Amino acid sequence: MNLVWLLLLPILYFALFSDGGSRPASVNIGAIFTFDTINGKVARIAMKAAVDDVNSDLSILGGSKLALTFHDSNYSGLFGIIGALQYMEADTVAIIGPQHPVMAHVLSHLANELQVPLLSFTALDPTLSALQYPFFLQTAPNDLFLMSAIADMVSYYGWRDVIAVFTDDDGGRNGVAALGDKLAERRCRISYKAALPPDPGATRSGVTDILIKVALMESRVIVLITYAKSGELVFDVAHYLGMMGNGYVWITTTWLSTVLDSTSPLPPAKRDSIQGVLTLRPHTPDSEKKRAFVSRWNQISGGSIGLNPYGLYAYDTVLMIAHAVKAFFYQGGTISFSNNSRLSDFSGGTLNLKAMNIFDGGKQFLNNILQTNMTGLTGPIRFNSDRSLINPAFDIINVIGTGFRQIGYWSNYSGLSVVPPEILYAKPPNRSSSNQKLNNPIWPGDTTTKPRGWVFPNNGRQLRIGIPKRVSFQEFVSQVPGTDMVKGYCIDVFLAAINLLPYAVPYRFVPYGDGLENPNYNEFVRLITTDFFDAVIGDIAIVTNRTKIVDFTQPYIESGLVVVAPMRKLNSSAWAFLRPFTPMMWAVTAAFFLAVGVVIWILEHRMNDEFRGPPRKQAVTILWFSFSTLFFAHRENTVSTLGRSVLLIWLFVVLIINSSYTASLTSILTVQQLSSPIKGIESLITSTEPIGFQVGSFAENYLIEELNIPKSRLVALGSPEQYAIALEKGKVAAVVDERSYVELFLSNQCKFSIVGEEFTKSGWGFAFPRDSPLPIDMSTAILTLSENGDLQRIHDKWLSRKTCSQSTELEPNRLHLRSFWGLFLICGIACFLALFIYFISVVRQFSQEFNSEADSSSHASSRSRRLHSFLAFVDGKVDESRSKSKTKLTENSPNTIVEEDEQRRGYKRKQMEASANSSVDDYT
């Protein structure tokens, strides 16, 4: 019976695990690494463990086995190429490696030609793109994400410039390029690049020379992009040179985290040289699989080296290949190789090129790898459309004491955080600045205070501070004759601000200009971009075209453009009483006087005898009543509720208008007025008069480019004296200049004045090169001066002047309709509503009076008769209309018509008698 089961076992195994096709006994894969490196040692152990696990699990490859062979490239690109060629002769379906990007760029061409997938978890150069190298695949997050994490850290701490120290090979150069791009996206930059020889070619003397140059630079934020051997040497030299103390910031790529994870404990000398350094480590989420493998590590490694994340990626890479082989077999694929016809042309010589065959199923096998969807030791394993791994993330580590401390995470999903990325993946992405967080690290020098990140270069050079050699308005900036000393308002503000900085600033003032006329300030500022000046101070207006090329501090004084024009005395005239109101205001006021009089007459006519009589008398009554309300002297009484309501509102309007007119006329007649034909910048634009401006000011460009004023109209003036002469003699209609200059000019010039409003809003600041750290600190100092009152005291010292005595004032603005349209609107609405209510009331009364009349046989005659009756009803007095007898007539009766005519004639006769009696009374 046992013999039967032994015979059935192969059959059952074939039925369960075979796809029905022939499978090879072994599947060859290769690995190319430098065994002497930390990652080479860890990867070798991890990949062997992965192969053992795959071969022991019959559910993966069934009866086939993975056969993994290793090749030591020993830091040599040539040895790496030789290893790859040997694998190609042995019918290898995939190669893991190489370890460094230099070899990856070369071997990728070989992989493309022979269609053998090349998988690497350490050659993470971002330029190894899928388009150029379709058979090269990175099975760990590439350096583009690593550089994004470093750039986010630099931006998070508020630094602007960094120094890149890198290994001068493909990986280092391309990593620095990626870092520069990511920093530029955050308005940061690499200010200096220091290249190291490729591993292991760096020497102590060479590194010392490089770091001495770095120490002379301004930036103190150093990003070290290299490998373990060179990196350890750099920190040893930096510690010797005192570059691991206060003020320095060191950020390394993942090589340091592999040293910390795999070499523990560190020797004291090596540990002391990296205190306070920040480094990154590929993030692998915690899982049961990962914990189980970590617990096995000491057993499978024999305690020779510690496990780091790249060991986990090495294990998962083997697992990825095994699952791709499994899928390849289930798809009916067979592992076969064919000769490359293109190599037949190179049959001569001793190279056995014919032995290198093309993997026939290479494309299908590569596609299976790209479609991997599983969970490994490093977490979920899937590839994006750009062939990068999903969810790239890094741990951020701070070296402290005898070990290290994790201060946060970075993920491509949500940036910097103190929460593990796998938790954030369940939430909407949030890359806002307020959501970026890291725990506080311990910086070099054993301090928790965040380093400023820069110092003044320790090369003995002082900052060249440019100052303008002004000819006019020397209260702002001037040079003491015969000396190198400078003085003025702007100089005092600069000195007060720079004394508040928490560090010393070496500088010297360099005058700019010929001393004959004020310099052109646009050209003055532009010299910063040519490194002629390190900064420019003085009365420098912050305007758009200048902010595009330099950085300004916080404005220390507000100074927009204003218009200065000559003023003439406004003499009184016989028609001065008309001056308070504009013509439109007079016209509307008169119209409302008449309109209100007509409305009151309509409302009072039927019930008030004072508003009745002959047409001439009624017209006179309307005019008299309306205009007499101006003096509140109307003699006619109003008896209707509507009439009194309208009159009350109108009297309020009249009160306001009367008071405003009286106040304005009093001012005109009692105070000497000044007037100018120029009312502001609008009247200057529409006129053709010449306009003056100060030499060197931005006013010229503003008038031409922004206001489209022809250059032929502009007259350059070099001093306050020229302002006065040009304005007095009519050479210019007005002068356009900044308020700060104008206020000084007007302090002793009473014949001129500012007209209109300030039509630009700007200020003066100190200019520095783009991305310089000084403007931020200087702005903080200027704000401190403003808050403690020192800025005002400096202003009073230089710019406070006694103004000339003036008993006159500018011509006040006339009262316009826009100041009273609300009152007129209220009055108009009241009149309309009163008339509407009155009309409805009259129609209703008329309907009640005549609703009993019989309809005539002709509708037209009935309408005519009704219209005449309505007009007579409106014109009649209310008591007469109500006392008139009403007789109900039979419809279509001739007698009714006769009686109706007689009644109408009698009613008209009574009206004529009443009118005649009224005329006699008036005459008497």
Side-chain angles (χ1 to χ4, degrees), residues 854-862 865 891-892 897:
D855 293 333
S856 63
S857 58
S858 172
H859 292 288
S861 61
S862 175
R865 202 165 47 246
E891 187 177 357
N892 298 329
I897 297 173

Side-chain angles (χ1 to χ4, degrees), residues 93-96 111 115-119 135-137 359 362 365-366 369:
V93 299
I95 298 174
I96 301 175
Q115 298 186 6
V116 176
L118 191 64
L119 294 81
F135 277 84
F136 180 82
L137 190 63
F359 180 19
F365 184 60
L366 175 64
I369 296 176

Side-chain angles (χ1 to χ4, degrees), residues 509-638:
F509 293 124
V510 180
Y512 173 76
D514 57 11
L516 301 178
E517 62 179 17
N518 296 329
N520 185 302
Y521 278 40
N522 287 334
E523 179 64 21
F524 186 31
V525 172
R526 191 192 64 81
L527 290 177
I528 294 178
T529 63
T530 64
D531 294 330
F532 188 82
F533 290 126
D534 297 308
V536 164
I537 69 169
D539 47 336
I540 314 295
I542 304 173
V543 294
T544 304
N545 63 331
R546 297 173 186 170
T547 58
K548 294 178 180 178
I549 59 175
V550 298
D551 285 343
F552 280 93
T553 62
Q554 167 82 16
Y556 57 87
I557 188 174
E558 300 296 329
S559 184
L561 291 178
V562 294
V563 177
V564 181
M567 309 304 294
R568 61 179 177 84
K569 292 182 179 180
L570 190 63
N571 297 322
S572 182
S573 67
W575 302 99
F577 69 91
L578 295 176
R579 195 178 300 162
F581 288 163
T582 61
M584 179 59 71
M585 181 65 183
W586 280 116
V588 173
T589 303
F592 262 83
F593 270 106
L594 294 176
V596 170
V598 172
V599 170
I600 296 296
W601 177 83
I602 293 173
L603 299 176
E604 296 290 323
H605 178 68
R606 297 191 67 244
M607 60 183 62
N608 191 342
D609 289 336
E610 294 184 359
F611 288 88
R612 299 185 62 82
R616 180 179 298 176
K617 178 189 174 184
Q618 295 182 45
V620 172
T621 300
I622 291 173
L623 292 174
W624 165 256
F625 179 82
S626 60
F627 286 104
S628 62
T629 56
L630 179 62
F631 310 102
F632 304 97
H634 49 285
R635 68 179 185 181
E636 292 81 8
N637 294 320
T638 53

Side-chain angles (χ1 to χ4, degrees), residues 482-494:
T483 69
D484 293 334
M485 298 177 59
V486 291
K487 62 179 182 179
Y489 168 73
C490 302
I491 301 298
D492 280 6
V493 172
F494 174 79

